[in-house]
Amino acid sequence: MEQRYSIDEFINQTKQEDKGQGYFELETPRMLEVNLQGQVWAKAGAMVSYRGQIKFEREGVLEHGIGKLFKKALSGEGTSLMKANGNGKLYLADQGKKISILKLQGESIYVNGNDLLAFDPSLEWDIKMMRKVAGMLSGGLFNVRIEGTGLVAITSHYEPLTLLVNPGQPVYTDPNATVAWSGNLQPEFVTDVSLKTFLGRGSGESVQMKFEGEGFVVVQPFEEVYFSQQS
Protein backbone atom coordinates (compact mmCIF):
# COMPACT_ATOMS: atom_id res chain seq x y z
CA MET A 1 0.00 0.00 0.00
CA GLU A 2 1.35 3.41 -0.96
CA GLN A 3 2.33 5.45 2.09
CA ARG A 4 2.24 8.78 0.33
CA TYR A 5 -0.18 11.13 2.10
CA SER A 6 -0.96 8.52 4.74
CA ILE A 7 -1.59 9.56 8.33
CA ASP A 8 1.56 7.72 9.36
CA GLU A 9 3.61 9.69 6.83
CA PHE A 10 2.05 12.97 7.99
CA ILE A 11 2.83 12.19 11.62
CA ASN A 12 6.39 11.20 10.73
CA GLN A 13 6.98 14.45 8.84
CA THR A 14 5.40 16.80 11.39
CA LYS A 15 6.03 15.17 14.76
CA GLN A 16 7.88 17.01 17.49
CA GLU A 17 11.57 16.19 17.75
CA ASP A 18 14.05 17.05 20.45
CA LYS A 19 16.86 18.90 18.72
CA GLY A 20 18.93 19.28 21.86
CA GLN A 21 19.28 23.04 21.43
CA GLY A 22 18.54 23.85 25.06
CA TYR A 23 16.18 26.30 26.74
CA PHE A 24 14.77 27.84 23.52
CA GLU A 25 14.43 25.58 20.49
CA LEU A 26 12.94 26.33 17.08
CA GLU A 27 10.64 23.37 16.56
CA THR A 28 9.67 24.88 13.21
CA PRO A 29 10.46 28.34 11.81
CA ARG A 30 7.15 29.52 13.31
CA MET A 31 6.91 27.48 16.50
CA LEU A 32 9.10 28.01 19.57
CA GLU A 33 9.66 25.18 22.04
CA VAL A 34 10.68 26.28 25.54
CA ASN A 35 12.29 23.50 27.57
CA LEU A 36 11.04 24.89 30.82
CA GLN A 37 12.73 24.23 34.13
CA GLY A 38 11.63 27.23 36.11
CA GLN A 39 10.20 30.35 34.53
CA VAL A 40 9.83 32.23 31.25
CA TRP A 41 8.12 35.46 30.19
CA ALA A 42 5.98 35.13 27.06
CA LYS A 43 3.52 37.21 25.10
CA ALA A 44 0.04 36.77 26.54
CA GLY A 45 -2.01 34.44 24.37
CA ALA A 46 1.03 32.93 22.61
CA MET A 47 0.69 29.47 24.20
CA VAL A 48 -0.19 26.84 21.58
CA SER A 49 0.43 23.67 23.60
CA TYR A 50 2.37 22.31 26.54
CA ARG A 51 3.21 19.09 28.32
CA GLY A 52 4.33 18.66 31.89
CA GLN A 53 3.51 20.65 35.00
CA ILE A 54 3.26 24.29 33.92
CA LYS A 55 1.21 27.08 35.44
CA PHE A 56 0.41 30.37 33.75
CA GLU A 57 -0.29 33.75 35.28
CA ARG A 58 -0.79 37.19 33.85
CA GLU A 59 1.77 39.85 34.59
CA GLY A 60 1.10 41.19 38.09
CA VAL A 61 -0.19 44.74 38.20
CA LEU A 62 2.47 45.92 40.64
CA GLU A 63 5.04 43.27 39.83
CA HIS A 64 7.41 45.73 38.21
CA GLY A 65 6.73 48.78 40.33
CA ILE A 66 4.61 51.89 39.92
CA GLY A 67 6.83 53.30 37.15
CA LYS A 68 6.12 50.53 34.66
CA LEU A 69 2.46 50.43 35.64
CA PHE A 70 2.19 54.17 34.94
CA LYS A 71 3.86 53.83 31.55
CA LYS A 72 1.69 50.86 30.71
CA ALA A 73 -1.44 52.87 31.44
CA LEU A 74 -0.17 55.77 29.33
CA SER A 75 0.69 53.56 26.36
CA GLY A 76 -2.91 52.35 26.22
CA GLU A 77 -1.89 48.94 24.96
CA GLY A 78 1.15 48.01 27.09
CA THR A 79 3.06 44.81 26.65
CA SER A 80 0.68 42.07 27.76
CA LEU A 81 2.91 39.38 29.20
CA MET A 82 2.27 36.08 30.89
CA LYS A 83 4.61 34.16 33.14
CA ALA A 84 4.93 30.39 32.75
CA ASN A 85 6.29 28.46 35.73
CA GLY A 86 7.09 24.78 36.05
CA ASN A 87 8.76 21.90 34.29
CA GLY A 88 7.86 20.67 30.84
CA LYS A 89 7.72 21.67 27.20
CA LEU A 90 5.93 24.86 26.21
CA TYR A 91 5.07 25.69 22.62
CA LEU A 92 4.65 29.35 21.63
CA ALA A 93 3.61 31.01 18.37
CA ASP A 94 2.11 34.29 17.21
CA GLN A 95 -0.13 34.38 14.14
CA GLY A 96 2.24 32.19 12.15
CA LYS A 97 4.99 34.82 12.23
CA LYS A 98 8.60 33.74 11.72
CA ILE A 99 10.58 33.39 14.95
CA SER A 100 14.20 34.42 15.52
CA ILE A 101 16.14 33.58 18.68
CA LEU A 102 18.75 36.05 19.92
CA LYS A 103 21.31 35.36 22.65
CA LEU A 104 22.16 38.56 24.47
CA GLN A 105 25.57 38.58 26.11
CA GLY A 106 25.51 41.72 28.20
CA GLU A 107 23.98 43.62 25.28
CA SER A 108 20.73 45.50 24.93
CA ILE A 109 18.09 45.56 22.22
CA TYR A 110 14.82 47.35 21.59
CA VAL A 111 11.95 45.19 20.33
CA ASN A 112 8.64 46.42 19.01
CA GLY A 113 6.14 45.36 21.68
CA ASN A 114 4.07 43.52 19.10
CA ASP A 115 7.06 41.43 18.00
CA LEU A 116 8.29 40.20 21.37
CA LEU A 117 7.40 36.51 21.83
CA ALA A 118 9.39 35.31 24.87
CA PHE A 119 12.47 36.06 26.94
CA ASP A 120 14.59 34.75 29.77
CA PRO A 121 13.43 36.08 33.17
CA SER A 122 17.04 36.89 34.07
CA LEU A 123 16.98 39.75 31.55
CA GLU A 124 16.15 43.30 32.59
CA TRP A 125 13.32 44.91 30.64
CA ASP A 126 11.44 48.17 30.48
CA ILE A 127 8.58 49.56 28.40
CA LYS A 128 9.48 52.55 26.26
CA MET A 129 6.79 54.61 24.60
CA MET A 130 7.10 56.57 21.39
CA ARG A 131 5.08 59.57 22.51
CA LYS A 132 5.96 61.74 19.53
CA VAL A 133 4.50 59.27 17.08
CA ALA A 134 1.56 57.95 19.11
CA GLY A 135 -0.95 60.27 17.48
CA MET A 136 0.39 59.75 13.97
CA LEU A 137 0.04 55.99 13.70
CA SER A 138 -3.01 53.83 14.25
CA GLY A 139 -2.90 52.65 17.85
CA GLY A 140 0.47 54.25 18.52
CA LEU A 141 3.70 52.35 19.09
CA PHE A 142 5.56 51.09 22.11
CA ASN A 143 8.69 49.03 22.45
CA VAL A 144 10.52 47.05 25.08
CA ARG A 145 14.17 47.55 25.97
CA ILE A 146 15.79 44.28 27.01
CA GLU A 147 19.27 44.07 28.50
CA GLY A 148 21.56 41.51 30.08
CA THR A 149 22.53 37.92 29.39
CA GLY A 150 19.94 35.46 28.20
CA LEU A 151 17.67 34.45 25.32
CA VAL A 152 15.03 36.52 23.53
CA ALA A 153 12.61 35.25 20.88
CA ILE A 154 11.25 37.85 18.45
CA THR A 155 8.77 37.49 15.61
CA SER A 156 8.42 38.97 12.15
CA HIS A 157 6.02 38.64 9.25
CA TYR A 158 8.08 36.65 6.75
CA GLU A 159 11.89 36.86 6.73
CA PRO A 160 13.49 39.71 8.67
CA LEU A 161 16.17 41.92 7.13
CA THR A 162 18.87 43.51 9.28
CA LEU A 163 20.25 46.85 8.12
CA LEU A 164 23.55 48.11 9.50
CA VAL A 165 23.65 51.72 10.67
CA ASN A 166 26.98 53.49 10.23
CA PRO A 167 28.09 56.98 11.30
CA GLY A 168 27.09 59.56 8.72
CA GLN A 169 24.83 57.08 6.93
CA PRO A 170 21.40 57.22 8.61
CA VAL A 171 18.82 54.53 7.93
CA TYR A 172 15.13 55.41 7.55
CA THR A 173 12.38 52.86 8.18
CA ASP A 174 8.61 52.64 8.19
CA PRO A 175 7.59 52.35 11.87
CA ASN A 176 4.98 49.72 11.02
CA ALA A 177 7.65 47.53 9.43
CA THR A 178 10.31 48.01 12.13
CA VAL A 179 10.84 44.98 14.38
CA ALA A 180 13.90 45.72 16.53
CA TRP A 181 17.08 47.77 16.83
CA SER A 182 20.29 47.81 18.85
CA GLY A 183 20.05 49.27 22.33
CA ASN A 184 22.51 52.09 21.69
CA LEU A 185 20.38 53.67 18.95
CA GLN A 186 17.76 56.31 19.71
CA PRO A 187 15.54 56.75 16.66
CA GLU A 188 13.92 60.06 15.92
CA PHE A 189 10.72 60.50 13.98
CA VAL A 190 10.65 62.56 10.83
CA THR A 191 7.84 63.36 8.43
CA ASP A 192 8.12 63.53 4.68
CA VAL A 193 5.28 65.42 3.05
CA SER A 194 6.42 64.52 -0.46
CA LEU A 195 6.45 60.82 0.41
CA LYS A 196 2.95 61.11 1.86
CA THR A 197 1.73 62.70 -1.38
CA PHE A 198 3.55 60.16 -3.51
CA LEU A 199 2.15 57.17 -1.65
CA GLY A 200 -1.34 58.55 -1.61
CA ARG A 201 -2.11 56.83 1.67
CA GLY A 202 -3.14 57.95 5.16
CA SER A 203 -1.15 60.43 7.21
CA GLY A 204 0.67 57.67 9.12
CA GLU A 205 2.76 56.53 6.17
CA SER A 206 4.58 59.85 5.95
CA VAL A 207 6.18 59.22 9.35
CA GLN A 208 9.60 57.58 9.29
CA MET A 209 12.03 56.38 11.92
CA LYS A 210 15.53 57.80 11.46
CA PHE A 211 18.42 55.82 12.94
CA GLU A 212 21.78 57.53 13.27
CA GLY A 213 25.05 56.34 14.79
CA GLU A 214 26.40 52.82 14.81
CA GLY A 215 24.26 49.72 15.25
CA PHE A 216 21.57 47.79 13.45
CA VAL A 217 17.84 47.86 12.77
CA VAL A 218 15.62 44.88 11.87
CA VAL A 219 12.73 45.32 9.44
CA GLN A 220 10.09 43.00 8.00
CA PRO A 221 8.49 43.00 4.53
CA PHE A 222 5.10 43.82 6.02
CA GLU A 223 3.39 46.85 7.51
CA GLU A 224 1.75 45.91 10.76
CA VAL A 225 -1.34 47.77 11.89
CA TYR A 226 -1.63 48.14 15.63
CA PHE A 227 -4.87 48.09 17.50
CA SER A 228 -5.30 49.26 21.05
CA GLN A 229 -5.73 46.38 23.47
CA GLN A 230 -6.94 46.57 27.00
CA SER A 231 -4.45 44.74 29.16
Side-chain angles (χ1 to χ4, degrees), residues 70-201:
F70 181 60
K71 280 189 286 187
K72 188 166 179 174
L74 280 178
S75 70
E77 58 171 309
T79 314
S80 293
L81 295 172
M82 65 180 180
K83 190 162 52 175
N85 285 291
N87 292 282
K89 291 185 181 293
L90 171 62
Y91 297 94
L92 302 171
D94 185 16
Q95 301 177 43
K97 292 160 72 175
K98 186 176 176 66
I99 300 168
S100 301
I101 299 173
L102 307 174
K103 184 176 183 179
L104 300 188
Q105 297 176 308
E107 300 142 310
S108 61
I109 188 171
Y110 284 93
V111 183
N112 184 306
N114 207 45
D115 301 317
L116 180 60
L117 181 64
F119 60 93
D120 196 319
S122 64
L123 292 165
E124 294 288 321
W125 63 278
D126 196 11
I127 297 169
K128 302 287 185 181
M129 287 183 299
M130 303 184 185
R131 288 189 182 86
K132 292 181 181 177
V133 79
M136 305 177 194
L137 297 169
S138 53
L141 282 176
F142 66 97
N143 54 71
V144 183
R145 188 177 194 273
I146 299 176
E147 183 174 18
T149 299
L151 295 172
V152 182
I154 65 174
T155 60
S156 61
H157 284 279
Y158 312 105
E159 281 64 35
L161 173 68
T162 300
L163 304 168
L164 297 181
V165 182
N166 295 307
Q169 299 177 325
V171 171
Y172 297 83
T173 66
D174 181 332
N176 296 79
T178 306
V179 173
W181 58 93
S182 48
N184 59 309
L185 295 180
Q186 297 290 333
E188 54 178 302
F189 291 91
V190 296
T191 54
D192 188 328
V193 176
S194 63
L195 179 62
K196 173 184 169 184
T197 307
F198 178 72
L199 290 173
R201 294 190 283 181

